[in-house]
Amino acid sequence: MTVYYTTLDEIEEGLSTILPDKKYRKNCLSVFAESIVEANSYGRNRWGVYCFRDGARIGVRLLVGHLIVFTIDRDGMWLSLDKTLLDESKDMRHLFDRREDWQWGRGEYSEYQVVRSRNGYYIPSSTDFDLWPFIRQFHFAYIKRCAQRYDRLDPRSQQHHSPALLAYIRKELGQKIPGPEYGAETGDTIFQEMEEFQRRYRELPETERASLVLSRIGQGVFRSDLKNYWKTCAVTGCAETELLVASHIKPWRDSDNFERLDVYNGLLLVPQIDRAFDRGYVSFDDGGKIIISRNLSDGDRKKLGIYPGMRLRTVEKNHRPYLEYHRQKIFIT
């Protein structure tokens, strides 16, 4: 059974286990980060990353569309390369064949057919990553083909995407790493919402899709109910409702149809707090007091107008299960 790590502590412990040498770990993550940036260049809704444990195997993965394209685990860095480009570059194929730090995959996942690939492990020494520039051109070509084949990340994979893993990589490398965006849930018309929803979920069975689209229409009702309940921003008291965002506490993608329309699963927030809440940089305890992630620097926190003394203006018992879910599953500790 696959377990997905969702907190910084779990991810840090997992990667320290498979990559105990700090310099080597940083080099591997730098390569991984390059692939993230490349995937992001084709659209912020087409990729995601996560940290996992499957039995004794621990690793991190990058997915584009419906396919895993990069995995780091104890055995090295597993990558998908563009088979069409490889077949056209026989000299480079021979180079890979001769290198001890490259091993072609064997067995079930040695190739993908839906987007043609040849997969293998890159196992550099602790200091020598000189093959990476050659691998990169074939790997990036494959990322591009996947992005052209799929206009979004598989919805099931969206649920496993880990903002905490991106936060860990940013901290380790000391550089900015982009994050994905799977579509805004507010601020659109109902027809725009339906179009976006159908685009993201068109692969679901017809009966399930119809049920969810009907629920999605209720997003306008959800916002209206939140405006009636909160009147103003749930934290700041800002009364200009046209500027406020109707935010789910337990995300839409994780909620059932009742929860998606439950007024207690929502906060009316000013945009900067909504974005920080949505991405897990802030949460709230059962008394409504704000909790700020250690990954939000004091400088950025102040620029966003987020302060430790902030709190929700009211918390009822029906809010608490949703707030607990957010703290456990979304908040970056």
Side-chain angles (χ1 to χ4, degrees):
M1 177 181 177
T2 302
V3 176
Y4 298 94
Y5 290 162
T6 59
T7 69
L8 273 172
D9 288 342
E10 291 174 328
I11 291 166
E12 187 168 4
E13 182 179 354
L15 280 168
S16 296
T17 298
I18 63 172
L19 301 170
D21 183 271
K22 187 173 182 178
K23 183 176 181 180
Y24 183 67
R25 180 169 68 248
K26 186 173 182 177
N27 286 337
C28 290
L29 290 176
S30 293
V31 170
F32 192 70
E34 285 188 54
S35 294
I36 290 174
V37 172
E38 179 68 14
N40 190 69
S41 71
Y42 297 106
R44 295 182 62 189
N45 62 333
R46 305 186 188 211
W47 65 276
V49 296
Y50 61 75
C51 184
F52 71 96
R53 175 172 57 81
D54 189 355
R57 187 185 185 198
I58 299 173
V60 297
R61 281 179 172 153
L62 168 64
L63 300 91
V64 178
H66 292 204
L67 297 173
I68 299 166
V69 300
F70 197 150
T71 299
I72 303 176
D73 60 22
R74 193 186 298 274
D75 295 328
M77 290 179 282
W78 181 96
L79 300 112
S80 295
L81 309 184
D82 188 297
K83 182 174 173 58
T84 301
L85 187 58
L86 277 169
D87 290 345
E88 296 171 353
S89 310
K90 293 183 179 179
D91 290 344
M92 292 302 302
R93 179 69 178 264
H94 293 326
L95 171 65
F96 290 134
D97 290 340
R98 295 193 302 268
R99 295 286 298 228
E100 294 184 357
D101 50 358
W102 178 264
Q103 296 178 6
W104 294 109
R106 295 183 174 85
E108 184 178 3
Y109 298 109
S110 59
E111 298 185 5
Y112 289 138
Q113 296 302 322
V114 61
V115 181
R116 298 179 68 227
S117 73
R118 281 288 284 120
N119 308 326
Y121 266 103
Y122 181 34
I123 315 168
S125 69
S126 60
T127 58
D128 188 357
F129 280 66
D130 67 318
L131 187 61
W132 169 241
F134 300 100
I135 296 172
R136 179 169 50 204
Q137 61 179 306
F138 297 97
H139 178 56
F140 280 13
Y142 190 70
I143 288 175
K144 181 178 180 179
R145 286 190 186 273
C146 287
Q148 291 171 336
R149 172 65 174 80
Y150 301 106
D151 64 358
R152 60 179 173 79
L153 182 68
D154 184 289
R156 292 164 295 184
S157 299
Q158 291 179 23
Q159 297 180 30
H160 298 311
H161 168 71
S162 173
L165 176 56
L166 292 179
Y168 172 80
I169 295 172
R170 293 181 188 115
K171 183 183 72 170
E172 283 289 294
L173 301 182
Q175 68 184 63
K176 292 183 178 180
I177 307 293
E181 176 60 69
Y182 302 128
E185 293 195 350
T186 59
D188 300 323
T189 67
I190 290 176
F191 292 107
Q192 289 172 324
E193 287 178 330
M194 288 180 63
E195 181 181 358
E196 172 68 9
F197 181 77
Q198 288 174 321
R199 183 186 68 79
R200 290 171 59 190
Y201 289 86
R202 65 174 178 265
E203 294 182 1
L204 290 173
E206 186 66 30
T207 54
E208 185 176 353
R209 188 190 314 161
S211 173
L212 291 176
V213 169
L214 288 174
S215 175
R216 188 55 167 165
I217 294 173
Q219 175 70 16
V221 176
F222 179 73
R223 176 176 173 80
S224 177
D225 287 346
L226 286 186
K227 288 169 68 174
N228 289 334
Y229 180 89
W230 288 102
K231 310 297 184 186
T232 63
C233 172
V235 175
T236 67
C238 173
E240 186 53 68
T241 56
E242 291 304 312
L243 299 177
L244 304 181
V245 180
S247 181
H248 282 87
I249 302 172
K250 182 178 181 180
W252 165 273
R253 64 180 181 271
D254 299 333
S255 300
D256 61 30
N257 286 348
F258 172 81
E259 292 170 334
R260 286 166 176 163
L261 300 178
D262 184 6
V263 71
Y264 293 105
N265 187 24
L267 301 174
L268 202 61
L269 298 171
V270 291
Q272 68 271 28
I273 297 179
D274 166 73
R275 181 62 69 174
F277 183 73
D278 180 64
R279 296 305 176 90
Y281 287 98
V282 301
S283 191
F284 299 93
D285 66 20
D286 282 347
K289 184 179 179 181
I290 198 168
I291 307 169
I292 301 173
S293 170
R294 63 185 180 183
N295 285 280
L296 185 62
S297 70
D298 285 345
D300 287 340
R301 175 182 61 74
K302 291 176 181 177
K303 290 174 184 176
L304 290 170
I306 295 174
Y307 299 95
M310 285 179 157
R311 63 187 315 113
L312 295 173
R313 290 187 289 106
T314 186
V315 176
E316 299 188 51
K317 66 177 182 180
N318 289 342
H319 287 119
R320 289 172 183 158
Y322 295 119
L323 290 172
E324 181 180 7
Y325 183 95
H326 188 274
R327 291 193 300 270
Q328 293 182 356
K329 300 294 186 179
I330 308 301
F331 181 64
I332 303 170
T333 56

